[in-house]
Amino acid sequence: MIITKGLNLILLLGVTSILGQRLLRPALSRIQIGQKTFSPLVTLSLESTRSSSRRRDPTFAYVRRSPLVQDSKRFLSPWSKWSECSGKCGQTGVQKRTRSCLAEHLWGVHCNEATEEGRLCIGHVCSACNISCPMGRVNADCDACMCEDATLHGKVSLEDGSPAADARVYLQAKTLKLLTTADDRGMFRIPGVCPDGKNTLKIKKAKYATSTVTIPESNRKNLGIQVQLHRSGKPYILRSPEDKARRVGQSVALCCDALGSPAPDRYLWYHNGSLLDPSLYKYKNNLILKNLNRDQAGEYFCKASSPGGSAKSRSAKLAVIGRQEAACNSQPQSHLIRLPHDCFQKTTNSFYYDVGKCPAKTCAGKLDKGLRCKDNISYCCGVSKMETRDISCNGYVLPTKVVIECGCKKCTETKITVRGRATAADNGEPLRFGHIYMGNKRVSMTGYKGTFSIQVPADTERLVLTFVDRLQKFVNTTKVLPFKENGGAVFHEIKLLRKQAPVTLESAETNVISLGEAEDDPIAELEIPPDTFYRKNGEVYRGKVKASVTFLDPRNISTAPVTPSDLNFIDEEGDVFPLRTYGMFSVDFTDEQGSESLNAEAVKVHLDAAQVRMPEHLQEMKLWSLNPETGLWEEEGDFNLEKSRRRKREERTFLVGNMEIKERRLFNLDVPESRRCYIKVRAYRSERFLQSEQIQGVVISVINTEPEPGFSSNPRAWGRFDSVVTGPNGACVPAFCDDQNPRAYAAYILASLGGEELEAVSSAPKLNPNAIGVPQPYLNKLNYRRTDHEDSSTKKTAFSINMAKPSPNSPDENNGPIYAYENLRECEEAPHSAPHFRFYRIEGDRYDYNTVPFSEDDLMSWTDDYLAWWPKPMEFRACYIKVKINGPQEVNVRSRNMGGTHPRTIGKLYGIRDVRSIRDPRQRDVSAACLEFKCSGMLFDQDRVDRTLVKVVPQGSCRRESVNSMLHEYLVNHLPMATNNDSSEYTMLAPLDPLGHNYGIYTVTDQDPRIAKEIALGRCFDGTSDGTSRTMKSNVGVGLTFTCSERSAAEQSIFQSQRNSGQQSMLVLPGQSPAYQRPASRQPTQGRTPIRGQRPLPY
């Protein structure tokens, strides 16, 4: 029914047959409306062509023609051509034509004539089949071309080369048409398919991504193709969008990349959790935002999807500020540095001084033209102005540089490094010369002692490394290693699981392999039916099989650090979820000679239900396999409850699952766990727990334990192991928790730095909430216990807590240290005053002072200043000299480091280093110290070198006995020289060359200052250029020797007599200052016999 100004116009629509068209044509010749008859041309008004929502019929408004004025042609443009008929083949449609009112444009006069007309039409004549074939003829279904004399032969294989038996081959037409199925060898044959370069096949197999193949154009009658199927998986985010800052009116590009099999074919972008309309923003994997306003600030993330599933990227923060607004807060934050032990400040009643700090956050700097995923130049808030202040100490003045203004400047470029050591979990045997893979690419090798170092590529989302033992002693281990995103190095201890010795199986018999350390109480069993082993070419294997099945038993808590990956998977929505493990096993099947790897199908896993302590987990248990490229676990299959005796007298309940052992050989018995929380942990340099003394790069690990008693030798079995790295504001460690029962889950927390375990705060004889960092009564509810709580002989490097989820109704529990999973942002941004757990490092009697403040844990805090201790933020060179002390007491030794030859720094202080000598366990009256000094070299502008003026001063009544002869000869041959008139100290212009232990000098260059210092210290302690030791060896590799007597109580400390002037050892260039003086005579060195050709240094 079509309504037009009160008149009813009845049209017959939808006539699709040829007969219907014949019936319609006479009706269209004369249309009667009321008392009037019109021709087929019907005048239509465009303004009423909206479709009826109920019948979806087009509605037209009929306009009665009025007589045109004599010159109407002057006011209306000519009619356009009729449009294409909107009807499909054989169906009724509409054609339209339009014209415009010229008078309206010229004089504003409205025309009362129609400006659009429409007429009914019939679509084009339907043909029997409109497919044209360049080769062969059209098939009976009119959906493809066929060639009777052509035959296609194909082979489908899996990733490891084994045949893809039962793979289905489809022809892509209007609907997929099944052509054939591959046989046991992966072979198929399709007659009649034309090799015209247009026919497309789709090959499908369960758990594998669909492969699309176009048959190549060929004149051959018999054509062959080979297809390899890749395991289907969810997308994996390769690159997340980056944090950016812009001003109002500017533009920004946010980018997201994902990989997968099949490849992602759809991207969605979200702003503050809300989906951005794809039709409005016209995005794909890149989101372009132009002419920004403040409302567009916030968090953005993308979601990549494919037929295999979805994955979400990390969120990026977009800051949008006003056009004239300051890019950074110019006022620096408070930052306290510790002063030397002889520099107590009476005004503040402390040893600390506030030097200020600028937070290194992204800011809106100067942009170049063009929109890029990664800005060519990154801008961060940093130091824009500093001033020098003199601090009055006990008898001397200490200069320091204080931040007085912050501004937006280029971010400090840093390098990210991961170091570590790979050793056996059972006896510490190193993985010697093992291969390290990142995906399918080998990126490094372990050394003789199992050590490794890897530079993390830019834009790395997750660092997934696989450690492969070429000797096959250990199970191949995949690890997801956290790293410092702001630059620097993190040290990881990689624990490897030793392979079980192989057992011999008969392939024609049913074989059962126990999974668990206790033979009489296994967690699960593998049942391998007869004749299920087969070679990679698909042939059934008959004969003896060597089977090595290694099980990681969660009932033994010492195995937790061996956990592969980080026990995470991606759910259907693309979110990362954790798994709670009930055991993992690695499978290795070979022929009798051990030369050929074998596959197995129809293998059954029988999991003893009595081992599952949480009843709700019985229904959620699944079998998983590890994807070594992504480090994520992927579902293999479900379990079903069955009752059987299985070599036991009593009937037991088992969870039974089926699996195939092909490309992947590492499996997991896991349950997804949604009860999640975060634990706030910080690490410090000392027990003072000052905010300015927090340590970054500390690896914090958590071991989640189950609530019920497990294995008899262990009170509680573990279910998850995870690690994170501390940043500027500590770390938020994920762990399972429960809001109903505080004891439902417990956790052990550990911390390590550079392979050295940090100490936790004591819990005995009674809890000290101020020291632990958590107030009462929440602390009692968490049941904090350090590992030595009941046995003082136990290590003090971990603590346990009950994972009691904070109650939303308790104000005391909503401020940390436990945060609900949805409150991660609150945990990450929690102030230092908020409750948190603490670790600290006992660094001994060692003190560092820099004139230009710099945190070795935060490389972004580096400042481009001539007096910076480290002149380059991407290359850190650590220098040490070994000082031997003959005397009954351990003494403090100081190095005072000043500019020596550079005109911008000469006579100015770089910094001070204090260290206490360590007694030699083999010699009663001998101790030694490894003393750091500032290396000589280029300053930050890379214009010219500076030979650092280093003064070594032992505290107390000390006398210089000797100088290493090779070091002395080097200094004599590399002028200028420093004068040494005071025998109680030693002054030198630091060597430019990286000397070794033969000189008593130890130099190491690294991308991380802490790593460089640790390596150099280890060599200095050992007295070698390539070894390492934690025990001081005072008689080898010595640079300086002093003899110190016991000082009387009334004698003044040598530190108290220090002056900035350095009166007796100031250096001056020849003819300019007395600082640089050439030796006037060649007198023998005290306590040494000069070697031939040596120019002794006057003291």
Side-chain angles (χ1 to χ4, degrees):
M1 179 75 65
I2 298 177
I3 301 175
T4 166
K5 286 191 177 181
L7 301 178
N8 294 335
L9 174 64
I10 302 176
L11 299 178
L12 297 176
L13 301 177
V15 181
T16 57
S17 64
I18 301 299
L19 177 60
Q21 297 172 31
R22 293 173 179 173
L23 293 175
L24 181 63
R25 286 193 182 99
L28 292 176
S29 61
R30 302 290 292 176
I31 300 176
Q32 184 174 354
I33 302 176
Q35 301 296 323
K36 296 186 178 182
T37 303
F38 294 90
S39 67
L41 179 61
V42 182
T43 304
L44 304 173
S45 174
L46 179 64
E47 57 197 34
S48 58
T49 58
R50 298 193 59 156
S51 299
S52 168
S53 61
R54 187 172 50 164
R55 296 187 179 89
R56 298 188 180 275
D57 294 332
T59 303
F60 303 102
Y62 171 71
V63 179
R64 185 186 300 270
R65 286 180 181 271
S66 61
L68 293 177
V69 294
Q70 188 174 2
D71 55 351
S72 62
K73 293 183 179 180
R74 295 185 341 184
F75 303 108
L76 292 168
S77 68
W79 287 105
S80 66
K81 293 182 179 181
W82 289 104
S83 64
E84 294 275 344
C85 185
S86 62
K88 296 182 180 179
C89 106
Q91 295 181 350
T92 302
V94 175
Q95 286 179 295
K96 297 178 183 179
R97 67 176 183 175
T98 60
R99 62 180 176 178
S100 61
C101 179
L102 302 178
E104 185 173 356
H105 298 294
L106 297 175
W107 306 290
V109 178
H110 294 284
C111 300
N112 59 0
E113 296 295 318
T115 58
E116 182 168 6
E117 288 183 341
R119 66 182 180 184
L120 299 178
C121 60
I122 304 298
H124 63 81
V125 179
C126 297
S127 60
C129 185
N130 58 359
I131 294 180
S132 60
C133 291
M135 182 184 298
R137 62 179 179 83
V138 179
N139 64 4
D141 295 331
C142 188
D143 57 8
C145 298
M146 60 179 295
C147 300
E148 288 87 348
D149 57 347
T151 303
L152 178 68
H153 300 269
K155 180 180 180 181
V156 188
S157 59
L158 304 180
E159 290 176 276
D160 62 350
S162 59
D166 300 324
R168 297 191 169 198
V169 184
Y170 295 84
L171 176 67
Q172 182 171 310
K174 294 179 180 179
T175 58
L176 285 180
K177 181 184 295 186
L178 178 63
L179 298 181
T180 186
T181 301
D183 60 19
D184 292 341
R185 297 176 300 163
M187 310 292 289
F188 65 86
R189 176 178 175 274
I190 305 175
V193 178
C194 292
D196 55 4
K198 295 182 178 180
N199 281 323
T200 300
L201 302 180
K202 286 187 176 291
I203 295 92
K204 296 187 175 185
K205 182 175 173 63
K207 296 184 180 181
Y208 291 86
T210 300
S211 179
T212 302
V213 181
T214 300
I215 302 175
E217 185 176 357
S218 175
N219 295 323
R220 299 171 57 184
K221 301 296 183 182
N222 292 288
L223 190 65
I225 61 171
Q226 290 190 358
V227 181
Q228 186 178 60
L229 298 181
H230 296 274
R231 191 180 180 93
S232 177
K234 296 176 181 177
Y236 172 63
I237 299 297
L238 187 65
R239 179 176 65 175
S240 290
E242 296 184 348
D243 291 349
K244 294 189 177 183
R246 294 292 188 270
R247 296 187 180 275
V248 171
Q250 292 182 333
S251 301
V252 69
L254 301 174
C255 303
C256 172
D257 287 326
L259 299 176
S261 178
D265 54 6
R266 187 185 184 194
Y267 287 85
L268 296 176
W269 282 90
Y270 295 80
H271 175 220
N272 292 335
S274 298
L275 176 65
L276 296 177
D277 187 356
S279 62
L280 178 63
Y281 288 89
K282 308 295 183 183
Y283 56 71
K284 291 184 180 179
N285 64 321
N286 297 342
L287 174 65
I288 306 297
L289 301 175
K290 296 183 178 181
N291 194 23
L292 288 167
N293 56 63
R294 291 182 182 270
D295 293 338
Q296 291 176 288
E299 293 189 347
Y300 291 82
F301 71 88
C302 81
K303 180 179 178 181
S305 300
S306 73
S310 300
K312 293 179 181 178
S313 73
R314 291 189 302 179
S315 294
K317 292 182 181 179
L318 175 62
V320 181
I321 63 174
R323 299 177 188 270
Q324 305 301 322
E325 186 177 346
C328 298
N329 184 356
S330 61
Q331 294 298 319
Q333 298 177 350
S334 176
H335 181 67
L336 300 177
I337 63 169
R338 188 183 169 207
L339 300 175
H341 67 89
D342 51 355
C343 199
F344 182 79
Q345 299 298 294
K346 295 181 180 179
T347 55
T348 59
N349 196 32
S350 71
F351 283 99
Y352 293 88
Y353 194 86
D354 192 350
V355 296
K357 179 183 180 181
C358 298
K361 66 177 184 179
T362 304
C363 60
K366 184 179 179 180
L367 299 177
D368 57 356
K369 295 181 179 180
L371 292 172
R372 297 179 176 84
C373 297
K374 184 178 181 64
D375 292 340
N376 277 353
I377 300 176
S378 298
Y379 289 90
C380 298
C381 295
V383 177
S384 61
K385 186 182 294 185
M386 302 181 78
E387 71 176 18
T388 302
R389 295 180 185 174
D390 292 333
I391 304 174
S392 297
C393 299
N394 191 0
Y396 66 98
V397 174
L398 187 67
T400 187
K401 290 207 170 185
V402 178
V403 179
I404 61 173
E405 187 177 315
C406 300
C408 190
K409 55 187 298 185
K410 294 181 182 179
C411 297
T412 301
E413 294 185 12
T414 60
K415 293 182 180 180
I416 304 173
T417 307
V418 166
R419 299 181 184 274
R421 179 171 51 242
T423 57
D426 52 1
N427 62 1
E429 178 187 354
L431 173 63
R432 293 191 171 101
F433 311 115
H435 291 170
I436 304 176
Y437 289 85
M438 187 182 299
N440 294 321
K441 181 181 179 182
R442 197 177 85 186
V443 294
S444 185
M445 288 182 65
T446 60
Y448 181 77
K449 296 183 179 180
T451 56
F452 64 91
S453 177
I454 294 174
Q455 185 172 329
V456 181
D459 300 325
T460 298
E461 186 84 7
R462 281 163 53 94
L463 181 62
V464 182
L465 301 178
T466 300
F467 295 80
V468 178
D469 179 20
R470 297 183 298 166
L471 302 179
Q472 295 297 303
K473 292 182 181 179
F474 307 111
V475 174
N476 293 347
T477 301
T478 298
K479 287 286 188 179
V480 179
L481 301 182
F483 52 88
K484 291 173 62 177
E485 296 184 4
N486 60 348
V490 174
F491 188 95
H492 290 278
E493 287 281 2
I494 307 299
K495 296 300 180 182
L496 305 174
L497 194 62
R498 191 177 298 276
K499 271 190 175 182
Q500 285 286 349
V503 296
T504 302
L505 309 177
E506 291 289 344
S507 64
E509 300 176 358
T510 298
N511 296 279
V512 177
I513 300 175
S514 297
L515 302 178
E517 293 185 352
E519 291 293 333
D520 59 340
D521 188 24
I523 286 181
E525 292 178 340
L526 289 184
E527 179 185 344
I528 308 172
D531 300 323
T532 58
F533 293 103
Y534 62 95
R535 304 178 188 273
K536 287 190 175 182
N537 61 5
E539 296 179 0
V540 176
Y541 175 83
R542 293 180 174 83
K544 296 184 181 299
V545 177
K546 282 189 174 181
S548 174
V549 179
T550 307
F551 186 69
L552 184 63
D553 198 330
R555 297 174 298 183
N556 181 358
I557 199 169
S558 65
T559 62
V562 186
T563 307
S565 181
D566 55 0
L567 285 178
N568 285 327
F569 77 103
I570 296 180
D571 69 356
E572 295 300 325
E573 293 298 320
D575 293 306
V576 177
F577 263 79
L579 294 169
R580 188 261 190 249
T581 186
Y582 281 90
M584 291 170 251
F585 57 97
S586 170
V587 181
D588 187 16
F589 295 144
T590 64
D591 61 2
E592 188 174 6
Q593 291 74 32
S595 59
E596 181 183 1
S597 181
L598 301 176
N599 296 339
E601 60 183 358
V603 178
K604 288 188 176 182
V605 182
H606 297 267
L607 174 61
D608 189 352
Q611 300 289 344
V612 181
R613 305 297 180 181
M614 293 183 173
E616 63 270 24
H617 285 176
L618 289 173
Q619 302 298 327
E620 300 176 2
M621 187 71 65
K622 295 180 183 294
L623 183 66
W624 307 77
S625 67
L626 180 65
N627 185 333
E629 293 189 25
T630 65
L632 294 167
W633 294 89
E634 298 176 358
E635 187 177 335
E636 283 283 333
D638 296 319
F639 282 89
N640 298 313
L641 283 171
E642 294 183 6
K643 290 187 176 181
S644 64
R645 297 186 181 275
R646 298 208 56 78
R647 300 193 300 174
K648 295 182 182 288
R649 295 180 181 178
E650 75 279 6
E651 189 176 59
R652 307 275 297 266
T653 300
F654 289 87
L655 292 168
V656 181
N658 297 309
M659 59 183 293
E660 285 186 301
I661 300 172
K662 293 183 178 179
E663 307 96 337
R664 296 182 183 175
R665 302 297 173 110
L666 185 60
F667 301 93
N668 202 345
L669 311 172
D670 274 23
V671 172
E673 180 59 272
S674 59
R675 294 175 291 181
R676 298 176 289 170
C677 288
Y678 288 97
I679 311 168
K680 186 69 174 187
V681 182
R682 301 179 189 267
Y684 298 88
R685 298 189 186 281
S686 70
E687 292 179 276
R688 292 181 291 268
F689 305 125
L690 296 174
Q691 182 177 1
S692 59
E693 292 188 350
Q694 289 190 87
I695 307 176
Q696 298 185 46
V698 176
V699 179
I700 309 292
S701 300
V702 60
I703 303 174
N704 257 129
T705 56
E706 67 178 12
E708 299 294 336
F711 195 33
S712 58
S713 65
N714 191 63
R716 304 178 82 166
W718 63 273
R720 181 175 175 81
F721 179 87
D722 212 338
S723 296
V724 296
V725 171
T726 57
N729 200 33
C732 294
V733 191
F736 298 144
C737 61
D738 193 89
D739 58 353
Q740 301 297 323
N741 180 8
R743 294 182 57 83
Y745 271 117
Y748 281 95
I749 316 295
L750 311 92
S752 66
L753 178 65
E756 175 187 348
E757 293 179 324
L758 275 63
E759 191 164 315
V761 180
S762 176
S763 59
K766 65 178 183 178
L767 296 175
N768 182 350
N770 292 330
I772 296 172
V774 181
Q776 295 286 21
Y778 198 18
L779 183 59
N780 280 337
K781 184 178 179 179
L782 296 175
N783 194 31
Y784 178 90
R785 292 290 185 269
R786 195 168 71 174
T787 43
D788 67 337
H789 184 79
E790 296 179 353
D791 184 0
S792 59
S793 63
T794 308
K795 295 171 67 175
K796 307 174 183 179
T797 54
F799 65 85
S800 65
I801 56 173
N802 290 335
M803 287 304 300
K805 186 175 181 179
S807 172
N809 300 322
S810 175
D812 295 334
E813 299 181 10
N814 289 321
N815 197 28
I818 309 298
Y819 293 83
Y821 176 77
E822 59 271 16
N823 297 332
L824 173 60
R825 179 55 54 85
E826 295 180 19
C827 179
E828 292 176 335
E829 298 178 353
H832 183 261
S833 58
H836 59 274
F837 292 108
R838 295 166 172 172
F839 286 93
Y840 61 94
R841 184 184 190 189
I842 302 177
E843 296 190 346
D845 295 321
R846 193 167 69 185
Y847 170 74
D848 297 353
Y849 172 80
N850 298 322
T851 299
V852 179
F854 172 70
S855 172
E856 294 173 356
D857 300 316
D858 182 10
L859 303 188
M860 299 295 288
S861 66
W862 180 84
T863 305
D864 50 352
D865 193 284
Y866 282 101
L867 292 178
W869 184 276
W870 307 97
K872 295 175 65 177
M874 290 192 295
E875 183 179 272
F876 298 89
R877 189 179 179 198
C879 295
Y880 284 80
I881 184 170
K882 194 168 189 176
V883 181
K884 180 180 177 181
I885 304 294
N886 294 319
Q889 292 183 335
E890 296 176 341
V891 301
N892 287 328
V893 186
R894 170 173 290 183
S895 73
R896 188 176 182 84
N897 304 267
M898 305 174 69
T901 60
H902 198 288
R904 299 292 294 267
T905 62
I906 188 168
K908 295 181 180 179
L909 183 70
Y910 287 115
I912 293 173
R913 297 293 186 267
D914 289 346
V915 68
R916 189 169 184 83
S917 64
I918 300 174
R919 189 169 303 282
D920 192 322
R922 296 165 297 182
Q923 300 183 64
R924 180 178 178 182
D925 292 334
V926 176
S927 63
C930 289
L931 180 65
E932 185 185 7
F933 63 90
K934 185 186 181 304
C935 307
S936 295
M938 290 283 189
L939 299 186
F940 87 94
D941 60 0
Q942 300 295 300
D943 181 47
R944 58 180 296 178
V945 300
D946 182 33
R947 292 279 300 278
T948 308
L949 178 63
V950 181
K951 180 189 290 186
V952 179
V953 187
Q955 180 182 13
S957 301
C958 299
R959 178 172 54 87
R960 185 177 69 249
E961 289 289 341
S962 63
V963 179
N964 183 293
S965 59
M966 295 182 67
L967 174 61
H968 178 69
E969 181 179 9
Y970 176 92
L971 296 175
V972 169
N973 292 330
H974 294 80
L975 300 177
M977 291 179 56
T979 59
N980 279 278
N981 296 328
D982 190 341
S983 62
S984 65
E985 60 188 37
Y986 180 73
T987 306
M988 68 174 179
L989 283 166
L992 278 170
D993 300 307
L995 306 181
H997 69 285
N998 290 330
Y999 298 81
I1001 302 291
Y1002 302 86
T1003 305
V1004 173
T1005 301
D1006 194 84
Q1007 297 166 5
D1008 184 89
R1010 285 198 170 276
I1011 297 295
K1013 294 171 72 169
E1014 290 291 337
I1015 296 174
L1017 270 174
R1019 293 176 181 177
C1020 181
F1021 271 60
D1022 194 53
T1024 62
S1025 294
D1026 55 0
T1028 186
S1029 174
R1030 291 291 179 183
T1031 303
M1032 179 65 74
K1033 301 176 182 179
S1034 59
N1035 288 328
V1036 291
V1038 176
L1040 295 172
T1041 303
F1042 288 86
T1043 297
C1044 300
S1045 60
E1046 193 168 352
R1047 188 183 57 176
S1048 64
E1051 188 176 355
Q1052 185 188 31
S1053 167
I1054 191 68
F1055 286 166
Q1056 296 175 355
S1057 64
Q1058 293 297 303
R1059 297 289 187 273
N1060 261 349
S1061 58
Q1063 297 170 358
Q1064 297 188 13
S1065 58
M1066 285 294 296
L1067 303 185
V1068 185
L1069 289 170
Q1072 298 179 7
S1073 171
Y1076 298 103
Q1077 300 180 8
R1078 299 185 181 276
S1081 61
R1082 299 186 181 181
Q1083 297 178 359
T1085 304
Q1086 184 177 4
R1088 293 274 185 176
T1089 302
I1091 60 175
R1092 184 175 299 176
Q1094 175 178 307
R1095 298 178 62 189
L1097 182 67
Y1099 297 112

